[in-house]
């Protein structure tokens, strides 16, 4: 039976910094929850409270106690106490785009030469635990915790309880042994899930709850754990805790970070897909969804705008009554949702569907490119990159779509009628007017053998042939969402051009992105071109670096999306972070990015693939997750994304506050040279 190893740290009493009042209470409550959830037969806790929680003791607790967790076990660090910051070493510019590292303040920190526990040390230590095969999670209820000072108690007698940032960058000799000779021991990716009380530029707060001082985040998270039950995912817990924190504290935005999937239950377990990327929740005496005008929701519209709960059971709709920048107010229609719950919702009715479509029998299409005979779909191709140069390729096949079961025995006329009805009901497609001068975006063609082919404006297939009208319309909606993400823009924004998106050549010996090397310049067609090289008789994919350069005098939040040719959207290159004033950030934390053809696609001369990189820049934070969608074969989550889905994971601004945003795009063409080269 798998075990849970827990290191519980709660520090109110410090040796060299001001005390706190609720951190130990948080730690005690966290351990009580774990006991009730896991049971004493599987839970192995180690408690470090107040003066016990020295720097050395916390480090040893991670190494020797959490380090006992093996394959299929879970290791959890729950820290409640002060957090702080320190200047980042110059060589970490690609990791720390704001120029600061975050710290946990141990009980003896800053007594003499004893430093804080730096986030980079914590990353190395917890990654070593994960290397044993354990599921590793960390809950940090401290200021600056998304990167790890609790603030002040919001009451009349409150006094500031801030710990001033360290005056200098960490000295090598003060770090754990793995980092004393440099930063090479830092894990390239995170193998843990982090639930943090706030952003790296914010303060966490504590306040009286039932006359007991508590950290707002710890209280909110434990409340969510008890309300949502043992199967709640990290993403669901973060959303619920965020609601409670926003009701009690200003300018505190809980965060969920880490490279492990967020749709995994707390303390580990089987992954399950989120039913939707948009959440309806009760906040400030009203119901709202976390999608607004900057996410593509129209601020003014001529017709109805509606959502509905994306879950089995009776239809539970809601009408959108107002749209602000980052969220929208909704009114449940004909049902009474539970204010203590959060509901995944999907857009069910839009006033302006994205793409026009027509429906045809194959015999109606007689253009030169519109063959009615058997046809094997050959494109567009999807790049498996850009991604980390040493990472695995992903499968991009579409076999699942082509084998989707379709209704048997349907006549061509019946299929055409079914297609027409489904398109007419789709929130992302609309039937084109019967005007010969109007060219539809998509044409759905019923084939003699019972399949359906989707053609683009040029008459060429844009997807593999499908079986079943439902599968074909879902593919059309998938394409519509991809196109709308690509078209996302905010015309006239003063932020236009504020952050430069740059592709930087990788020279021999480069292991991390250079800060000052000039970027590659696009050609006359606006494209960056990279080529495969022939090495030892084998074609090798090119690698480069992606750099983001903030040219303004203020911090800006950035997310970098990759839109591939097979209608996938992902944010793995730069999922979201603030880039400090006049500073730079880098994709994959500065590691090389490989641009390559899809897995299984031979590198034949002349083969090429496009990756459209879309950078979204904003004055405040927003979430990247709702943008993401898989390839056309990943259509099991029907309606999981809005037409353009961008949510504030936990914005600090008031729901009605406006903040500016902009986008910029760059397309990279990766090609195998067509010229002959010696092997």
């Amino acid at each position: 039976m798998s075990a849970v190893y827990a290191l519980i740290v709660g520090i109110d009493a410090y040796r060299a910094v001001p005390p706190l009042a609720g951190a130990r209470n948080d730690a005690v409550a966290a351990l009580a929850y774990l006991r009730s959830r896991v049971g004493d037969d599987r839970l192995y806790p180690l408690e470090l409270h107040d003066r016990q929680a020295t720097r050395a003791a916390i480090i040893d607790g991670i190494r020797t106690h959490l380090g006992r967790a093996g394959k299929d076990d879970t290791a959890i660090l729950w820290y409640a106490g002060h957090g702080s910051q320190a200047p980042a070493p110059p060589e970490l510019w690609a990791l720390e785009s704001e120029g600061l590292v975050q710290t946990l303040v141990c009980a003896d920190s800053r007594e003499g030469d004893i430093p804080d526990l730096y986030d980079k040390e914590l990353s190395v230590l917890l990654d070593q635990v994960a290397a044993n095969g354990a599921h590793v999670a960390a809950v940090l209820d401290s200021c600056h915790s998304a990167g790890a000072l609790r603030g002040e108690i919001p009451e009349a007698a409150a006094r500031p309880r801030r710990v001033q940032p360290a005056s200098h960058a960490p000295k090598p000799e003060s770090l754990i042994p793995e980092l004393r000779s440099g930063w090479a021991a830092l894990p390239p990716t995170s193998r843990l899930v982090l639930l943090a009380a706030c952003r790296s530029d914010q303060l966490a707060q504590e306040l009286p709850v039932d006359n007991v001082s508590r950290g707002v985040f710890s209280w909110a998270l434990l409340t969510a754990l008890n309300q949502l039950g043992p199967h709640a995912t990290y993403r669901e817990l973060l959303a619920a805790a965020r609601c409670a924190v926003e009701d009690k504290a200003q300018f505190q935005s809980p965060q969920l970070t880490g490279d492990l999937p967020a749709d995994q239950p707390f303390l580990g377990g089987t992954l399950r897909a989120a039913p939707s990327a948009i959440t309806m929740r009760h906040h400030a005496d009203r119901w709202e969804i976390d999608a607004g005008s900057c996410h593509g929701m129209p601020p003014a519209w001529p017709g109805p705008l509606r959502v509905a709960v994306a879950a089995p059971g009776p239809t539970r709709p809601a009408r959108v009554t107002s749209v602000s920048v980052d969220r929208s107010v909704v009114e449940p229609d004909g049902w009474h949702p539970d204010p203590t719950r959060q509901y995944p919702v999907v857009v069910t009715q839009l006033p302006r569907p994205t793409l026009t479509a027509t429906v045809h029998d194959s015999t109606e299409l007689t253009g030169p490119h519109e063959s009615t005979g058997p046809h094997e779909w050959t494109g567009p191709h999807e790049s498996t990159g850009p991604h980390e140069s040493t990472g695995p390729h992903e499968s991009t096949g579409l076999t699942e779509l082509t084998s989707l079961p379709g209704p048997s025995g349907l006549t061509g006329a019946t299929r055409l009628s079914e297609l027409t009805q489904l398109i007419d009901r789709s929130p992302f497609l609309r039937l084109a007017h019967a005007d010969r001068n109007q060219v539809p975006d998509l044409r759905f063609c019923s084939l003699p053998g019972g399949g359906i082919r989707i053609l683009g404006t040029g008459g060429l297939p844009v997807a593999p042939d499908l079986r079943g009208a439902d599968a074909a319309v879902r593919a059309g909606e998938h394409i519509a969402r991809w196109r709308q993400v690509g078209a996302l823009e905010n015309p006239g924004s003063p932020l236009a051009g504020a952050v430069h998106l740059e592709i930087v050549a990788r020279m021999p010996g480069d292991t991390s992105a250079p800060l000052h090397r000039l970027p590659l310049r696009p050609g006359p067609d606006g494209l960056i071109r990279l080529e495969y090289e022939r090495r030892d008789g084998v074609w090798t994919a090119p690698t480069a670096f992606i750099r983001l350069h903030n040219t303004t005098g203020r911090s800006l939040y950035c997310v970098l999306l990759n839109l591939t040719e097979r209608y996938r959207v992902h944010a793995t290159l730069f999922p979201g972070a603030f880039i400090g004033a006049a500073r730079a950030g880098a994709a994959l934390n500065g590691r090389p990015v490989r641009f390559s053809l899809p897995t299984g696609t031979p590198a034949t001369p002349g083969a090429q693939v496009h990756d459209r990189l879309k950078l979204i820049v904003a004055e405040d934070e927003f979430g990247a997750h709702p943008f993401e969608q898989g390839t056309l074969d990943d259509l099991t989550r029907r309606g999981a994304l809005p037409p353009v889905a961008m949510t504030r994971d936990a914005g600090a601004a008031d729901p009605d506050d406006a903040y500016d945003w902009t986008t910029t795009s760059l397309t990279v063409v990766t090609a195998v040279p067509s010229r002959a080269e010696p092997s």
Side-chain angles (χ1 to χ4, degrees):
M1 183 178 293
S2 59
V4 175
Y5 294 86
L7 177 58
I8 310 295
V9 181
I11 312 175
D12 284 335
Y14 287 85
R15 299 181 186 178
V17 300
L20 292 170
R24 182 163 181 165
N25 293 334
D26 294 338
V28 170
L31 182 55
Y33 170 78
L34 292 175
R35 282 202 169 104
S36 68
R37 162 78 180 271
V38 179
D40 288 332
D41 58 329
R42 294 175 49 220
L43 178 65
Y44 299 89
L46 174 62
E47 297 178 82
L48 296 175
H49 295 316
D50 294 337
R51 295 177 183 270
Q52 298 174 327
T54 63
R55 174 182 159 90
I58 294 175
I59 292 173
D60 183 69
I62 297 174
R63 289 193 192 278
T64 62
H65 183 68
L66 296 187
R68 295 167 59 193
K71 190 176 186 303
D72 299 327
D73 291 336
T74 295
I76 180 169
L77 168 66
W78 195 302
Y79 173 90
H82 275 307
S84 191
Q85 295 176 307
E91 58 269 30
L92 292 183
W93 70 268
L95 288 172
E96 299 294 351
S97 54
E98 290 190 278
L100 296 168
V101 295
Q102 288 70 51
T103 72
L104 301 183
V105 184
C106 308
D108 58 346
S109 289
R110 309 186 186 185
E111 182 181 50
D113 294 329
I114 301 175
D116 299 351
L117 181 60
Y118 295 99
D119 62 344
K120 301 298 176 286
E121 297 178 291
L122 196 62
S123 177
V124 170
L125 293 167
L126 292 176
D127 185 72
Q128 291 172 350
V129 177
N132 297 329
H135 173 78
V136 181
V139 177
L140 302 183
D141 194 353
S142 58
C143 291
H144 313 298
S145 53
L149 315 235
R150 279 152 81 113
E152 46 198 81
I153 301 176
E155 55 180 321
R159 55 190 175 90
R161 295 186 174 179
R162 300 180 60 186
V163 173
Q164 295 299 322
S167 59
H168 54 76
K171 299 178 180 178
E173 62 271 17
S174 69
L175 298 170
I176 59 175
E178 293 91 332
L179 295 175
R180 289 175 187 169
S181 60
W183 304 100
L186 288 175
T189 58
S190 172
R191 287 189 279 192
L192 63 100
V193 178
L194 170 63
L195 288 161
C198 59
R199 295 187 332 216
S200 61
D201 62 338
Q202 292 179 331
L203 305 182
Q205 300 182 39
E206 55 181 30
L207 79 169
V209 177
D210 297 329
N211 297 318
V212 176
S213 185
R214 294 290 304 277
V216 179
F217 178 63
S218 288
W219 165 79
L221 180 58
L222 289 169
T223 300
L225 283 163
N226 284 299
Q227 287 181 342
L228 299 182
H231 301 296
T233 66
Y234 289 102
R235 193 188 312 282
E236 292 167 341
L237 290 168
L238 191 281
R242 179 188 65 197
C243 293
V245 169
E246 288 181 344
D247 281 337
K248 290 186 176 293
Q250 287 186 322
F251 309 115
Q252 180 176 343
S253 306
Q255 303 289 294
L256 174 63
T257 63
D259 294 327
L260 289 179
D263 296 313
Q264 188 172 23
F266 182 72
L267 300 183
T270 303
L271 291 172
R272 60 185 176 90
S276 175
I278 308 177
T279 302
M280 187 179 85
R281 57 172 189 170
H282 194 261
H283 174 60
D285 297 323
R286 64 187 183 185
W287 286 95
E288 62 181 34
I289 60 173
D290 48 4
S293 62
C294 76
H295 321 92
M297 301 291 284
W301 59 93
L305 181 57
R306 302 176 69 84
V307 298
V309 175
T315 302
R316 288 166 287 177
R319 180 172 55 90
V320 179
T321 59
S322 66
V323 177
S324 54
V325 175
D326 65 312
R327 61 193 72 188
S328 303
V329 177
V330 299
E331 184 176 299
D333 187 2
W335 64 296
H336 300 283
D338 181 352
T340 65
R341 287 188 57 190
Q342 54 183 327
Y343 296 88
V345 298
V346 293
V347 177
T348 58
Q349 189 169 4
L350 284 171
R352 295 191 295 260
T354 306
L355 298 185
T356 58
T358 54
V359 176
H360 305 268
D361 186 87
S362 60
T363 58
E364 300 175 21
L365 299 178
T366 58
H369 300 294
E370 294 151 350
S371 169
T372 59
H375 179 83
E376 180 180 356
W377 186 69
T378 59
H381 297 289
E382 180 191 356
S383 167
T384 59
H387 47 81
E388 183 182 354
S389 63
T390 58
H393 289 273
E394 66 179 21
S395 172
T396 57
L398 297 176
T399 55
E400 293 182 19
L401 257 184
T402 57
S403 62
L404 285 174
S408 59
L410 293 181
T411 65
T414 302
R415 270 196 304 274
L416 294 179
S417 176
E418 185 180 6
L419 277 169
T420 300
Q421 293 176 20
L422 288 172
I423 292 171
D424 192 46
R425 294 198 298 265
S426 171
F428 305 106
L429 304 169
R430 74 171 184 270
L431 291 167
H433 294 297
D435 183 346
R436 293 184 179 275
N437 294 324
Q438 180 184 12
V439 178
D441 297 300
L442 299 174
R443 282 182 280 183
F444 292 79
C445 176
S446 176
L447 302 176
I452 298 171
R453 183 172 299 163
I454 305 177
L455 306 177
T457 55
L460 296 176
V462 294
D465 291 348
L466 305 164
R467 297 200 63 83
D470 184 71
V473 172
R474 280 189 286 144
E477 292 176 334
H478 190 97
I479 295 168
R481 291 193 294 264
W482 183 90
R483 289 193 184 181
Q484 200 164 16
V485 172
L488 180 66
E489 61 179 13
N490 186 15
S493 168
L495 290 179
V499 179
H500 294 171
L501 174 57
E502 302 171 336
I503 308 296
V504 181
R506 184 187 184 191
M507 302 300 183
D510 283 346
T511 58
S512 62
L515 178 57
H516 300 295
R517 183 176 300 158
L518 291 176
L520 299 175
R521 298 181 62 180
D525 54 6
L527 305 176
I528 296 285
R529 298 185 182 275
L530 302 176
E531 289 191 339
Y532 273 64
E533 293 183 1
R534 193 80 168 174
R535 297 177 185 172
D536 299 325
V538 177
W539 286 110
T540 303
T543 57
F545 300 103
I546 300 177
R547 190 171 63 200
L548 312 178
H549 181 206
N550 182 358
T551 64
T552 73
R554 53 177 169 161
S555 291
L556 294 171
Y557 195 81
C558 299
V559 166
L560 181 60
L561 302 175
N562 181 22
L563 287 78
T564 71
E565 283 190 351
R566 199 163 277 170
Y567 308 112
R568 182 187 175 204
V569 183
H570 66 88
T572 56
L573 296 170
F574 198 86
F578 279 96
I579 298 180
R583 299 188 64 87
L588 298 177
N589 291 327
R591 300 189 302 278
V593 176
R594 181 178 62 214
F595 294 81
S596 60
L597 300 173
T599 301
T601 301
T604 56
Q608 65 177 24
V609 69
H610 292 68
D611 283 283
R612 185 177 181 184
L613 304 177
K614 191 171 191 72
L615 177 65
I616 306 174
V617 180
E619 294 176 315
D620 209 344
E621 186 174 9
F622 59 91
H625 167 69
F627 277 112
E628 299 190 350
Q629 65 177 31
T631 56
L632 275 174
D633 61 335
D634 186 21
L635 295 177
T636 56
R637 290 171 289 178
R638 182 178 182 180
L641 299 178
V644 176
M646 185 168 84
T647 62
R648 282 273 293 283
D649 276 342
D654 181 89
D656 296 321
D657 284 350
Y659 63 88
D660 202 12
W661 59 279
T662 190
T663 66
T664 186
S665 298
L666 183 64
T667 298
V668 178
V669 179
T670 305
V672 181
S674 56
R675 60 185 181 276
E677 295 189 10
S679 58

